[in-house]
Amino acid sequence: AVPQLKKIANLTGEQISDIGSQDMNDTVWLKLGNRVNQLLAKPDVDGIVITHGTDTYEETAYFLNLVVDSDKPVVIVASMRPATSISADGPMNLFMGVVVAINKEAIGRGVLCVINDDIHYAAEITKTMTVNPATMKSPNRGLAGKVDDEIVRFFSPTIKRHTSKSEFRIDETVSSLPHVDIIYAHSNMKRSLIDASVKSGAKGIVIAGVGDGNMSNEAIDALSEHASKGIVIVRSSRVGSGAVKRNIEVNDDKLGFVAAMELNPQKARILLQLGLRETTNVEDIQRMFMEY
């Protein structure tokens, strides 16, 4: 479908999984992360392009951004219109992804997401519309760059730690990640789902809080109880952009909570999963949320 690719790169391909991205899970992430690291360690591999569905696109990108141990380009592409559509965007996004992956300026920028002529950093991208091809945005710090045919323009580099500078490492002995749930805050929020999460074995909970990461008093009381028993609680926000900072509206120091900063709930969950493999110390995990 994209014969132009053979003019710009020597490509080989392999299939890691065959699932809809709504079914993405920790097992596939670990398999994918390990395979990416194995391939990037080869001297004849200059970069990797991954095709992915849009539903969990940003989550897979952020996971890889934390566990890939290389400065070589890793680019994830996706499409909003299926191959049967009048103007399917998959072939063009794939071409643009390869164009970015072979660009020397992509080296050392972490995992990049290429879709709809835009280049996003994995830490910034999020899906904002259900079916529109322009669904992916980077609301807090903006785009990593733009790609037009074979012309790539990068903007400011990301300041977040990633890939070769990350402290998180996986190998084939890692078979699972800690259980972390996301609970959505709303009016009249009760403690029932919070208690059920802990009872089901969650080691951490991310709250998709109202406004600046807030929630009902009943929910705060429940979370504080669980935090005192070693469950790590992270406050994020359901609003879509902005930062949830420490001790704003909620006294994180007193309650033993972690503030997610700019990470949305789905990315906060991933960082907490990897963080819990290293420590349950709230101060250490807060430091991770400041750096990643």
Side-chain angles (χ1 to χ4, degrees), residues 69-223:
D69 189 13
S70 175
D71 287 330
K72 294 179 181 179
V74 176
V75 175
I76 306 186
V77 299
S79 67
M80 288 297 292
R81 293 179 178 141
T84 55
S85 175
I86 291 175
S87 55
D89 55 336
M92 179 58 81
N93 289 335
L94 177 59
F95 179 79
M96 295 298 194
V98 175
V99 167
V100 172
I102 65 175
N103 189 285
K104 293 188 181 301
E105 288 190 53
I107 296 172
R109 290 181 179 266
V111 174
L112 299 170
C113 301
V114 176
I115 187 170
N116 201 40
D117 299 348
D118 292 333
I119 309 170
H120 301 263
Y121 289 117
E124 306 298 333
I125 189 172
T126 190
K127 188 173 183 178
T128 64
M129 292 177 276
T130 55
V131 295
N132 194 296
T135 181
M136 297 297 175
K137 305 293 182 183
S138 291
N140 286 324
R141 295 176 183 265
L143 292 174
K146 298 284 289 186
V147 55
D148 180 13
D149 196 12
E150 295 185 40
I151 299 173
V152 178
R153 293 179 294 131
F154 281 107
F155 305 151
S156 300
T158 178
I159 66 169
K160 300 294 186 177
R161 287 179 65 181
H162 58 76
T163 55
S164 64
K165 296 178 176 61
S166 172
E167 66 198 85
F168 306 111
R169 291 291 168 251
I170 59 171
D171 57 38
E172 293 181 342
T173 66
V174 180
S175 59
S176 64
L177 297 174
H179 177 179
V180 175
D181 286 330
I182 299 173
I183 298 179
Y184 197 91
H186 52 83
S187 58
N188 200 40
M189 184 181 185
K190 304 298 183 182
R191 66 177 293 160
S192 53
L193 291 179
I194 296 168
D195 293 336
S197 173
V198 174
K199 186 176 181 180
S200 72
K203 304 302 180 185
I205 295 175
V206 175
I207 297 295
V210 296
D212 194 7
N214 213 336
M215 66 216 80
S216 69
N217 287 329
E218 181 175 335
I220 289 176
D221 290 343
L223 292 166

Side-chain angles (χ1 to χ4, degrees), residues 247-279:
N247 301 318
I248 305 297
E249 293 198 36
V250 174
N251 191 331
D252 295 301
D253 291 342
K254 177 181 177 181
L255 298 170
F257 295 169
V258 173
M261 303 306 293
E262 293 178 15
L263 290 182
N264 61 25
Q266 51 269 40
K267 290 180 184 174
R269 173 182 170 269
I270 295 165
L271 181 55
L272 183 54
Q273 283 184 291
L274 290 169
L276 286 171
R277 294 188 64 242
E278 310 296 326
T279 182

